[in-house]
Amino acid sequence: MRWHPIWLFLVFLLLCRGLGDFYPFNKFPMYANPADETSDFIIVTDADGKPLPMEKLTGESSPKIKKKYTAVRNDLAAAAGIKDAANGCPPEICQQAMQKVAEMLWRLAAKKKQTLPDVLTMQQVKLYQEATGFRETTEELGRAHRKR
Amino acid sequence: MLRRLFPEGAFLPQRVGKVESLFLRLGLVAITIWSCWKRSPYDSMERPAGLGQWIDFSFLGKPGVHPWFLALLALAGSIYLLGTWRGTRWTLVGVLPLTLGHVAYWTLRNSQGNTFHGSNLTSLVLLGQLIACVIQLWRESKATRDSPRWPGLDGMLLYFSQSAIAACYVASGLTKLARTQGRWVLDSHLFAKSVQKVWRQHYFDDPTNQAYSGISPWAQWLVEHPMLARFMFGPGFFLELFAFLLLASRRWALALGLSIIAMHFFIEQIMVLEFREWQALSLVFAVNLPFWICARQKSTAS
């Protein structure tokens, strides 16, 4: 082969950058923009707002639940013709997304022989970095009710 | 100076002996099986990703399949190991199911609507080795002689594995560069809130564990020392961006491999995020201890 064998590095690099999220290729965007104004995460609570140990009950950690919720919400929003769901998602779409994620969580808990409450709420926690510390705000995204 | 850093033959593949090749192969088989060791909790593909858009891999999560899947990987791994002596065909017959199995298992995991980045590198190393086997087989069919640019199968398995590792880190560095218009290092002190976020997420994953309650001591320190924070995160960014240098020579690979492993241990300390497979692959294919032990023994003997 006359080509320099570094071509495979270049091809993999181009595929990682060009294909985006196409396993096993990826742009690896974790922590790519530290200057984002806020950092947010999602917690799942019972109807009274008490946080539930989701990793133990379902095997799904807080980051996984957030990614799942975001993906489902974006899909539902795209189907409804909304492009930027992160900045202004109609409440009914957020509610639908939450219900879908909750159903997945109930399923996973059942597989692990664990019990989740019939009513789950999702709270979005936004974290702000300030000059000497941090500030948190919490907003309820919605409630999901188990259908029997 | 430049000539000393990059002597003649820099960025070309190295010749690899049989013993070294065996250890490299053993390392890859162990990492692949370890990566797929747990039964997938998923038996459906909620949001198909990658090849999952065309192929349904959900059967891998069905009851009773996983032990057979692991047995297949072990068999393929054994054939791949025997390929060290048996040559390209055996290596190809072994590495093909290892690659397909690993990609299928992790495509199922990544088809749940939340991407996990902990195993991409193993799949890409396997894919690189598969490509090396196919090209080597084609060269053998044409009776093409080995050359400095293609020093035979074992050298190319190592070189293409290193290429996959380098490509992933450089891609990550370029993404940081693109997303911040080049300001990543300057803005890196703002990472404190990401460190705090991960801390809080760990707390909420198990609120009974008080170890992660309150404010992360690392996050608080980063807020209070923004300039030192930039000096802490900056080297990691440049390490990613210049990871292609591990293709330059064995010494570069050793230095960068150790740096990458250290970087992940540092991230683990402050963010409680593990990248064990990435560390293990860097240990096997960049640090490559068996080569250095053999080289030392040879130099002592002579």
Side-chain angles (χ1 to χ4, degrees):
Chain A
M1 182 166 285
R2 276 174 298 171
W3 287 18
H4 194 290
I6 207 163
W7 63 264
L8 188 88
F9 159 73
L10 296 171
V11 168
F12 274 9
L13 179 59
L14 283 173
L15 289 172
C16 280
R17 292 285 306 148
L19 289 178
D21 188 9
F22 189 99
Y23 190 87
F25 299 99
N26 201 286
K27 283 184 182 173
F28 304 109
M30 310 81 79
Y31 307 107
N33 192 358
D36 284 338
E37 193 200 351
T38 60
S39 217
D40 68 299
F41 58 96
I42 285 176
I43 56 174
V44 180
T45 71
D46 64 12
D48 300 327
K50 188 180 162 206
L52 297 165
M54 295 308 288
E55 188 150 47
K56 187 176 141 202
L57 296 173
T58 67
E60 297 293 278
S61 61
S62 168
K64 279 191 198 172
I65 294 169
K66 183 197 162 190
K67 285 180 193 172
K68 174 81 183 170
Y69 170 79
T70 308
V72 173
R73 182 201 64 195
N74 290 351
D75 282 352
L76 291 169
I82 299 159
K83 280 184 183 163
D84 190 9
N87 297 316
C89 176
E92 62 274 15
I93 287 187
C94 291
Q95 180 59 40
Q96 270 185 55
M98 182 174 164
Q99 185 71 35
K100 268 191 110 167
V101 174
E103 277 160 16
M104 177 200 76
L105 295 173
W106 280 313
R107 253 196 332 271
L108 288 171
K111 273 181 104 175
K112 283 179 76 90
K113 298 187 174 36
Q114 299 282 350
T115 312
L116 278 181
D118 287 344
V119 179
L120 294 177
T121 73
M122 273 194 196
Q123 321 253 5
Q124 183 182 36
V125 182
K126 285 188 177 174
L127 197 67
Y128 298 83
Q129 183 170 337
E130 298 184 329
T132 55
F134 305 95
R135 179 167 59 87
E136 264 185 24
T137 61
T138 306
E139 184 188 342
E140 187 173 308
L141 290 172
R143 280 172 186 243
H145 296 261
R146 191 184 329 221
K147 292 166 191 161
R148 297 279 183 183
Chain B
M1 176 69 178
L2 210 60
R3 187 47 74 188
R4 280 191 68 186
L5 284 172
F6 302 106
E8 201 177 330
F11 291 98
L12 286 174
Q14 310 288 326
R15 287 195 179 279
V16 169
K18 288 295 172 201
V19 175
E20 184 188 351
S21 181
L22 178 64
F23 277 104
L24 294 173
R25 287 171 190 240
L26 265 172
L28 184 57
V29 171
I31 292 168
T32 306
I33 292 177
W34 168 44
S35 173
C36 302
W37 187 251
K38 283 187 187 166
R39 183 192 152 188
S40 175
Y42 309 105
D43 56 8
S44 63
M45 293 167 65
E46 303 277 326
R47 204 167 180 269
L51 291 176
Q53 293 166 73
W54 300 285
I55 305 168
D56 185 358
F57 295 117
S58 54
F59 67 93
L60 287 172
K62 304 281 185 209
V65 174
H66 192 247
W68 291 103
F69 174 68
L70 283 182
L72 174 75
L73 289 187
L75 177 67
S78 307
I79 297 170
Y80 169 73
L81 290 176
L82 284 172
T84 314
W85 298 280
R86 295 277 184 166
T88 311
R89 279 175 206 278
W90 280 63
T91 307
L92 179 61
V93 169
V95 83
L96 181 65
L98 283 177
T99 310
L100 294 177
H102 193 269
V103 169
Y105 179 93
W106 284 101
T107 298
L108 172 61
R109 163 63 189 83
N110 279 285
S111 293
Q112 307 303 322
N114 46 27
T115 308
F116 172 69
H117 298 110
S119 290
N120 297 57
L121 188 52
T122 310
S123 285
L124 284 174
V125 166
L126 286 163
L127 188 59
Q129 295 215 353
L130 181 63
I131 293 169
C133 286
V134 171
I135 296 174
Q136 176 69 21
L137 206 61
W138 174 73
R139 287 172 64 90
E140 286 171 9
S141 72
K142 301 263 177 202
T144 311
R145 280 189 189 172
D146 290 345
S147 69
R149 291 187 174 199
W150 194 278
L153 180 64
D154 293 318
M156 291 317 295
L157 291 179
L158 173 61
Y159 190 78
F160 277 7
S161 301
Q162 292 177 334
S163 298
I165 294 171
C168 286
Y169 282 103
V170 176
S172 174
L174 288 177
T175 302
K176 290 180 174 68
L177 207 57
R179 289 265 175 102
T180 58
Q181 285 86 43
R183 289 188 51 86
W184 196 90
V185 175
L186 286 174
D187 292 340
S188 60
H189 65 294
L190 297 170
F191 251 129
K193 65 178 175 302
S194 298
V195 174
Q196 175 62 11
K197 179 179 97 168
V198 174
W199 189 264
R200 297 289 281 154
Q201 285 175 321
H202 277 292
Y203 170 70
F204 284 113
D205 281 340
D206 181 9
T208 58
N209 181 359
Q210 293 299 309
Y212 297 111
S213 63
I215 292 178
S216 151
W218 273 106
Q220 188 60 41
W221 187 87
L222 291 168
V223 165
E224 289 167 4
H225 303 89
M227 189 51 76
L228 287 175
R230 292 185 184 106
F231 280 110
M232 270 173 60
F233 289 118
F237 168 75
F238 289 109
L239 179 61
E240 286 193 338
L241 210 54
F242 290 95
F244 64 89
L245 289 174
L246 68 83
L247 295 168
S249 70
R250 287 187 183 275
R251 282 178 199 279
W252 275 103
L254 173 67
L256 285 162
L258 289 172
S259 305
I260 285 169
I261 292 168
M263 176 181 78
H264 284 300
F265 275 130
F266 171 69
I267 293 170
E268 192 180 327
Q269 277 299 309
I270 66 165
M271 298 190 86
V272 207
L273 286 177
E274 289 179 0
F275 275 81
R276 287 280 183 263
E277 272 180 53
W278 292 57
Q279 285 179 304
L281 288 162
S282 298
L283 181 67
V284 172
F285 293 106
V287 176
N288 191 358
L289 279 177
F291 166 78
W292 291 104
I293 292 167
C294 291
R296 184 164 170 75
Q297 280 177 342
K298 273 185 195 166
S299 73
T300 312
S302 62

